[in-house]
Amino acid sequence: MTSTTPSARRRVTVVGGGLAGLTAAITAAEAGARVTLYESHRTLGGRARTADGPYRTNEGPHALYRRGPHWAWLKERGLLGPMARVPVRQAARFRFHHGGALRLLPPLGVLRLARLAPAEAPVDVDFLTWATDRAGPAEARAAAHYSAVALYHHDPGALSARFVQERLYRAAAVPPEAQYPRGGWGEVVERMAAHAWNLGVRVEVGARLETLPDAPGGPVIVATSLDAARRLLNDPALTWESGRTALIDLAVRTRRGDAFAVSDLDAPGWLERFTAQDAGLAPAGRELLQGQFPVAPGEPRAVGIARAERLLDLGYPGWRDRVEWRRDALSQGRTGAVDRPGTTWRDRPSIVRGDGLFLAGDAVAAPGLLAEVSFASGRTAATLAVEALAAPRSATGLDLNHA
C-alpha cells in the first residue's frame, strides 16, 4: 500500500448504532476514513430511539444539557435541530415531593447545596457524608434524591461526592440546562444518520453480531453496552456499576392543573409531562408522561412502579381514569456509569483495548454526564482509530488520559 492517507487504506468498523456509534462513525468519516457501521436493531439510535406511533416516547425520560460538549458538536454540523425549552408557565408547575406532600419549593438546604461548585466536593467521600456536613442530614438526603434525575441509581448518597455534585449542580442550574429535541431524540438520530450517509458511511441495520466481524481490515470500535462488549471482546474485566430503574410511560387525557414535573425528594424518582414543552409528542388533547424510579438490586420492578403511582396520585389527580396508553419497563445497566467514592471516570473501562480495538458508550472512561459520555467516548475512539489507520502502532499502548 503506497498511500498513507486513512481514506486510501483500511476501513474503520463500528459495532453499535446508538449515539456513541453514530458519533464515532461521523468523526472517523469526517477525518477521511472509510467506515462501516453495524447495528443489531432494525433502526439506529440505541436508547435514543423514539417510538413510532401516536406517543413518541424514548427509553425513559430524556433531555439534552446545553452546556455539554455534544451540544456544540451537533450544532456545528446542523444536527441539533429545533429544541424545546420548558415554558415559563409550566416551570411554575414544578413540584417537589417531600415529607409525604407536594411542595412548591425544595428545602432551602437543597438549593444551597446545588449552588456549590463540583470542584468543592471530594472524590473519595460519599455524597451523603459530605453534604450532611454542609447542610444537615435531611437536606443532604433530599439533595441526593433530587440528583437521581441524572443518575438513575437507588442510593445516590452512597456514590462519590464529586460525581453526584457534578450532576446536582447541572440538573438544578438556573436557567435550566435541560432542553428537548422537538419530536424526540429520534429526530437527532435521523439527522446524524443522514449526515453519516452523506459522508459515505456504510450502515448495516438488523446485523446482530455474536462475534467481531471477520477480517474487518482496520480498527474496530465497539459502541455497545458493556454487557454486549464483554461478550464481543471476550473480556470479563469489562464491568462497571450502573443504575437499575423502573420506567413508566403514560398517555392521559389533558387536565388543567397537572404538574409539569414531580421530583421525589423522599426517595429517588422523577415524573415529567413531556408534552408540556413539546405538544407534538402526543395527539391533541393527550399528555405524555414519563418517569423513572430507581430500585435496589433484587427489588422487583413493581416496587418502583408503586412509588410512581403514588406520585401520580399527588401530581396528576384522576390519572387512572384518564389513561389512554401505558407502558412499564425495567432498565438495568443501561443508564450510564456511576462512580463510587475513590473513583472517577478515569477508572472506568478504557477506550483503548489494544490490537486495534476501541470501546465507546456511556459507561467507559470519558467525562460528562448521561449522553455526553457516549459522545465524548465516540469522538475519542474514532480519533484514535483514524490515527491507528495511519500508524498502526498507535492502536496499542495509548493512555487515554494523556491522549
Side-chain angles (χ1 to χ4, degrees):
M1 198 175 285
T2 57
S3 174
T4 59
T5 62
S7 60
R9 299 188 64 183
R10 296 168 294 165
R11 182 176 293 273
V12 173
T13 299
V14 180
V15 182
L19 295 178
L22 284 168
T23 302
I26 291 170
T27 301
E30 287 179 342
R34 295 184 298 164
V35 181
T36 297
L37 183 149
Y38 294 95
E39 165 56 42
S40 62
H41 198 271
R42 63 182 178 83
T43 56
L44 298 170
R47 285 186 290 108
R49 293 187 194 97
T50 299
D52 294 329
Y55 305 112
R56 297 185 59 76
T57 60
N58 297 117
E59 186 176 335
H62 279 48
L64 198 155
Y65 286 73
R66 59 183 173 82
R67 294 179 188 171
H70 57 326
W71 181 285
W73 188 88
L74 289 167
K75 187 173 183 179
E76 192 175 275
R77 290 159 177 78
L79 306 177
L80 187 62
M83 302 295 294
R85 300 183 182 185
V86 178
V88 173
R89 67 180 184 278
Q90 296 294 342
R93 295 180 182 176
F94 201 122
R95 297 294 182 267
F96 300 89
H97 180 235
H98 188 233
L102 285 193
R103 306 181 187 278
L104 295 176
L105 294 172
L108 184 58
V110 174
L111 297 175
R112 289 173 176 164
L113 282 169
R115 294 180 62 185
L116 297 178
E120 296 186 33
V123 168
D124 56 353
V125 175
D126 68 87
F127 177 83
L128 192 60
T129 297
W130 173 77
T132 295
D133 288 343
R134 282 149 185 81
E139 289 80 357
R141 192 167 297 280
H145 292 160
Y146 180 82
S147 71
V149 65
L151 290 170
Y152 300 87
H153 192 269
H154 71 286
D155 188 10
L159 304 176
S160 166
R162 175 72 61 83
F163 175 79
V164 176
Q165 186 63 20
E166 287 173 344
R167 282 137 188 83
L168 175 63
Y169 184 79
R170 294 185 64 190
V174 178
E177 274 199 58
Q179 294 191 27
Y180 309 81
R182 289 197 176 276
W185 274 78
E187 298 294 317
V188 176
V189 170
E190 288 185 11
R191 287 189 285 271
M192 293 179 73
H195 187 55
W197 177 268
N198 290 335
L199 290 168
V201 175
R202 191 174 79 198
V203 178
E204 302 283 349
V205 296
R208 183 175 295 278
L209 303 180
E210 300 300 331
T211 60
L212 291 179
D214 292 331
V220 176
I221 300 170
V222 177
T224 66
S225 68
L226 280 187
D227 284 347
R230 187 165 56 248
R231 294 191 297 270
L232 282 171
L233 299 177
N234 192 27
D235 186 351
L238 287 180
T239 61
W240 197 261
E241 186 177 359
S242 184
R244 186 171 182 270
T245 191
L247 303 175
I248 184 168
D249 304 326
L250 287 174
V252 299
R253 292 188 295 277
T254 301
R255 171 190 173 276
R256 287 175 62 90
D258 276 348
F260 157 58
V262 181
S263 173
D264 195 346
L265 304 186
D266 288 346
W270 183 272
L271 282 170
E272 186 168 342
R273 182 163 51 92
F274 278 78
T275 38
Q277 59 267 18
D278 187 359
L281 298 178
R286 303 294 184 269
E287 302 285 354
L288 177 61
L289 312 179
Q290 291 196 268
Q292 60 96 1
F293 291 79
V295 292
E299 281 187 329
R301 176 179 67 188
V303 170
I305 297 302
R307 288 179 42 227
E309 291 181 346
R310 287 195 293 272
L311 232 59
L312 284 163
D313 289 337
L314 293 173
Y316 307 88
W319 67 273
R320 287 179 172 84
D321 296 330
R322 296 188 280 138
V323 172
E324 298 283 315
W325 172 82
R326 174 172 177 164
R327 180 177 64 182
D328 302 344
L330 179 69
S331 183
Q332 181 167 321
R334 291 171 55 79
T335 55
V338 297
D339 297 337
R340 291 282 178 176
T343 62
T344 72
W345 63 266
R346 294 177 175 83
D347 299 300
R348 301 173 197 160
S350 174
I351 291 175
V352 180
R353 309 312 302 175
D355 297 326
L357 296 174
F358 302 91
L359 194 63
D362 62 6
V364 301
L369 78 162
L370 300 176
E372 295 169 10
V373 179
S374 294
F375 278 96
S377 62
R379 292 180 65 190
T380 300
T383 299
L384 297 177
V386 171
E387 290 178 3
L389 289 177
R393 63 182 177 83
S394 68
T396 60
L398 280 173
D399 179 357
L400 173 65
N401 298 332
H402 296 91

